[in-house]
Amino acid sequence: MKDKKWLLALFFVFVILILIPPRLRNIQGHTHTFTYESYIHLNNIPSAININNFNLFHFIIIVLEKAFTLNFITQALPLLFGLLSFVLFYFIVLEIKSKINPKINRNELFLGMLFFTVSPFIIFISTAFTPYSFIMVISLSVVLLALKNRLIESSVLVALLAFTEIFSFVIMLLFFSFYLLYMSEYRKSKSWLFLIIFPFTAFLLGLLVFNNNILNFFDPNIGIANYFSEIGSYTGFPVFLVILFILGISVNWKRSFYFVLPHLAFFALLVISFFSPSARLFCNLVMVFYASSGMIYLIERYWDFSLLKDFVISIIIFSIVFSTVFTLSSLTTEEPSIDMEKALLYLKKHSDPDYKVLSRPQNDMFIKHIAEREPALYYEYKHTKPKKYEEFYSLFDSQNIQTTSRIFDENDIKYIIIDEKSREEIWPRPLKGLLFLLHYNEKFIKIRDFNEVELWEYNP
Amino acid sequence: MRSIKKPWVWLWVFFFVVLSLRLFFAFQTQYMDYDAYFALRQIEHISKTGMPLFNDPLSYQGRTFLFTPAYYYFLAFFSLFMPITIAVKLIPNILASSIIFIIYFFSHKITKNKEISLVTSFLSVFIPVWFLDINTLTTDYFSIIITFIILLLFLNLENKNHLNWSIFLLILLVFSSPLVFILVLGLLIYVAICRIEQKQVRTGRIEWVLFALFLSVWANLLIYKNALVNHGIRVIWKNLPQTVLREYFINLSFPQMFAYIGILPLILGVLAMYFAFHERKNKIVFLITAISSLIFVLLFFTLIELKTGLLILSLLMVIASSFTLKTFYLYFHKTKISFIYRFLLIFFVSIFLLSSGFSSVKAARDSLKKTPTESEVDSFIWLKEHSNPSETTLITADKGYILNYYSNTKNIADNNFLLINDVSTRLQDIRIIYASRLESPAAEKLNYYGVDYIYLSDSIKDEFNIKDIVYTKDDPLCFDLLYGSNIGEPMIEIYEYRCGK
């Protein structure tokens, strides 16, 4: 009974945490979802109907759009998936405790759930519109069904991941194969081969027939900055979770030596996680277990100096609170800003759809989705078309009206959006480059001013 | 061996010898080195307002500083009893000289022998790298001293007072310098070495290391969060641009190490590590080995400033030397030629004096070259009288702090690069303005930064390999020579840039 109360309290905390960013944004007047990544997927949804760009997550959104508005879906779906993940994760922990490792005690279980609840990655995917929430629900279902020996259903779900994202599919297929061969009863029968071949065939089908952008999930910005949530990564790990995880691993090393292969597989996953956010998601789920174990070790072990124990536990609690609050506040102030939303909605109503909009490259997806206009400069050009990116970016520095006019005319650019971030990043000094032309050349007219965002029009 | 009855007397003698030498060189000039003026502004601001200057309107024409202020508070405290100009010369040099006591305590802990401990502390009298910065206000001396005191306390944590003091000093260190990570990582390696060597580490010590790890990670995350978000992993290199990075984090060669640390401590230190692992296992030498190997790795991968790394390494090597001396002592006393040991000590001391003594004095003399000349300071003071704080003066990044301190005008760049996103561009622009032969590219940059004054001195000319700023002579209407001093002193010119207004 007491356990249920604690679990309900945790669930309640989780609901509040994942409601904070969208609710606060709604109160501020936002009408659209947030984070750049959400808009990448929103812009990819229409193309999911095309067989060459098929993606299961996007296809589900198209189906749901028949019953609900897209705005509602982008807000409700992550929440729903987040809550489902919480429940699934709890049942997985219970299954692991009853079938694999009965030594997991009640405190470890609840601390694991607590770490899951406050994990920045989980909060991120439960609030922003990304396929990771969908991937997480499917993956957790795969694990739970496998643990419950419902392997056919589990195999079907692994196959579904093949149409969503490559890394999660590969990871889950490996997990599934490993579970079949290493632990389940099925390894004695011959049907295990079919269970592995089925999702693998689905993957080949996805790769050959649908070509479903599965490799788009590869993260081109490899670096330590993606690894830690305190450095600003939503898909990273809190530093203290990592420290507790290391502690947990070292404490459990002997106890779990029987599971040496899963451990090695996990370290391989850690390496993959440098390149893939979904791999980091799976790492997060595993780390939560070990971190709880590390924390329990710190609390329950005998301390020579109780003063140090109090200090250490307090620091860990503060740091976890800090990392959660940091994530919540970052998500709440994510782009697009309220002024940008207003400017883009204005542009949608009052601009000519045949012309392009020039702005900071990181605004491309917002322009495309909210204003429904074509951005002149896509951020992805930085990697895919670096020459074009350089040419367009040079527009920001140019004070030569002939060059600027030529590029504007050749590329049908008519509208310019100047926001606070572009002033900080592109023009730290006032009235330089394109800003100078906007203010001192009669070809440019300011259409509207939305506090931090200005809309300009180019008239050749 | 005959026991020395009053080692304290000798220690104080050593201390005063080093201190006198350091102060002799320090007071050869009334100024500090160029980088010290950042600290001076902080100390003065703390003395006046009680708070450090985090939002500076002058540096980079207005920016936010990220730093840990404990050391500046420490110096500001002394400025309550004496003039700041005296305090900033006296206190850092007292701190640097006090390493003698720390070395003695450590050596005594290792050897339990007063004579060897005294000889070892004498070896720390002339460590050349400790004489490289006589007129500096770097946090290094302060944080290194605290680190070593913490290590001493760490070796005797069973005493409750030691535990309390170690916690207090750790908190002080966390708020003084990121060097706390060297302490924490070093202790973690120490625990690992002890485990490998099957030596028991008391639970209390592991608890202390855990506490230090959690505290330092958490505090630094809080303090440097914005820098981490802004620069990512480059925070380790303080967001230094590539050109400056090479000067700060140089790959180290062995001859350089011999020169900076001294041949004798280095050889004896390395021998100590050998003895400790192969002949007489000693946990304190394991601790020294752990931190030394960490410093080596950090220096090799240019993750720590060369000077800071050498300051720590030199102390570790000197401390480890005592173990070698003790090993020799034990060895000779098993033989019939034990009297040779005393000659050996005299021989070591002589070699040490010959090799490190002269190097240290030379290093101290060279350090004076890093301070500004009187004519430079005069020109800065003149500029203060003829300008206002909202105006910007063009000067190289090295002299940015001193310009802010004496002239109270804005600079375009200085040596604190954290949270500055366009550092390389700014340094490149400064180079263009000074070295350009044509006026138009320079004027574009001058207008861009809104420069009001251009400061030109011989050292700046040397830095950019120019004889003059050529275009200033061609356009006297735009570039008005306001200040020119060349009477028996290095040439200094200050131009007013009028066309940007």
Side-chain angles (χ1 to χ4, degrees), chain A residues 90 177 234 256 341 364:
Chain A
Y90 175 69
S177 316
Y234 293 129
S256 53
E341 269 189 42
D364 57 350

Side-chain angles (χ1 to χ4, degrees), chain B residues 336-347:
Chain B
K336 288 177 182 172
I337 49 166
S338 60
F339 63 93
I340 287 185
Y341 181 70
R342 192 164 289 267
F343 288 110
L344 192 72
L345 278 189
I346 294 167
F347 173 71

Side-chain angles (χ1 to χ4, degrees), chain A residues 120-268:
Chain A
F121 202 150
I122 307 296
I123 292 174
F124 167 64
I125 63 174
S126 307
T127 49
F129 179 75
T130 69
Y132 299 120
S133 51
F134 175 68
I135 290 168
M136 186 164 72
V137 168
I138 298 283
S139 306
L140 291 175
S141 305
V142 168
V143 177
L144 186 61
L145 288 169
L147 289 170
K148 284 183 173 289
N149 265 332
R150 292 167 65 180
L151 294 166
I152 297 168
E153 291 97 321
S154 187
S155 168
V156 171
L157 286 179
V158 175
L160 287 183
L161 282 175
F163 302 104
T164 313
E165 196 247 343
I166 187 165
F167 279 111
S168 53
F169 167 73
V170 172
I171 292 163
M172 288 322 293
L173 183 67
L174 286 174
F175 160 80
F176 187 67
S177 316
F178 176 81
Y179 183 79
L180 274 177
L181 300 174
Y182 193 65
M183 299 174 79
S184 90
E185 298 292 317
Y186 269 71
R187 67 175 185 267
K188 289 164 194 162
S189 71
K190 284 181 183 170
S191 54
W192 64 264
L193 192 64
F194 168 74
L195 288 170
I196 293 172
I197 286 173
F198 173 66
F200 192 71
T201 316
F203 168 66
L204 288 178
L205 188 74
L207 204 64
L208 296 172
V209 180
F210 296 115
N211 182 26
N212 63 352
N213 294 327
I214 44 180
L215 284 171
N216 282 358
F217 285 77
F218 181 82
D219 192 346
N221 305 310
I222 300 163
I224 201 110
N226 295 332
Y227 242 67
F228 296 107
S229 53
E230 283 85 351
I231 310 181
S233 169
Y234 293 129
T235 58
F237 319 107
V239 171
F240 276 80
L241 192 77
V242 176
I243 298 176
L244 287 175
F245 158 74
I246 295 168
L247 199 65
I249 278 275
S250 59
V251 171
N252 284 293
W253 188 249
K254 281 180 190 164
R255 183 168 98 177
S256 53
F257 194 71
Y258 171 67
F259 303 112
V260 67
L261 269 174
H263 280 102
L264 289 176
F266 174 70
F267 286 115

Side-chain angles (χ1 to χ4, degrees), chain A residues 224-225 230-232 239-240 243-244 247 298 301-305 307-308 311-312 315-316 318-319 322 326 426-429 432, chain B residues 60-61 157-158 163-164 167 203-205 207-208 210-211 213-215 217-218 221-222 225 228-229 232-233 422 426 447-449:
Chain A
I224 201 110
E230 283 85 351
I231 310 181
V239 171
F240 276 80
I243 298 176
L244 287 175
L247 199 65
L298 287 180
R301 79 186 285 269
Y302 170 76
W303 287 68
D304 277 358
F305 306 122
L307 177 72
L308 290 180
F311 276 146
V312 167
I315 291 170
I316 292 172
F318 279 130
S319 72
F322 165 76
F326 176 65
I426 306 169
W427 302 285
R429 303 267 139 212
K432 297 291 160 194
Chain B
Y60 286 81
Q61 299 175 296
L157 278 181
E158 293 69 33
L163 174 70
N164 293 342
I167 293 172
T203 328
R205 288 187 191 164
E207 287 165 10
W208 195 94
L210 265 179
F211 164 65
L213 173 73
F214 282 105
L215 180 70
V217 170
W218 184 59
L221 271 178
L222 281 182
K225 192 194 81 179
L228 282 164
V229 172
I233 195 76
D422 55 346
R426 279 175 182 258
N447 292 337
Y448 182 81
Y449 292 106

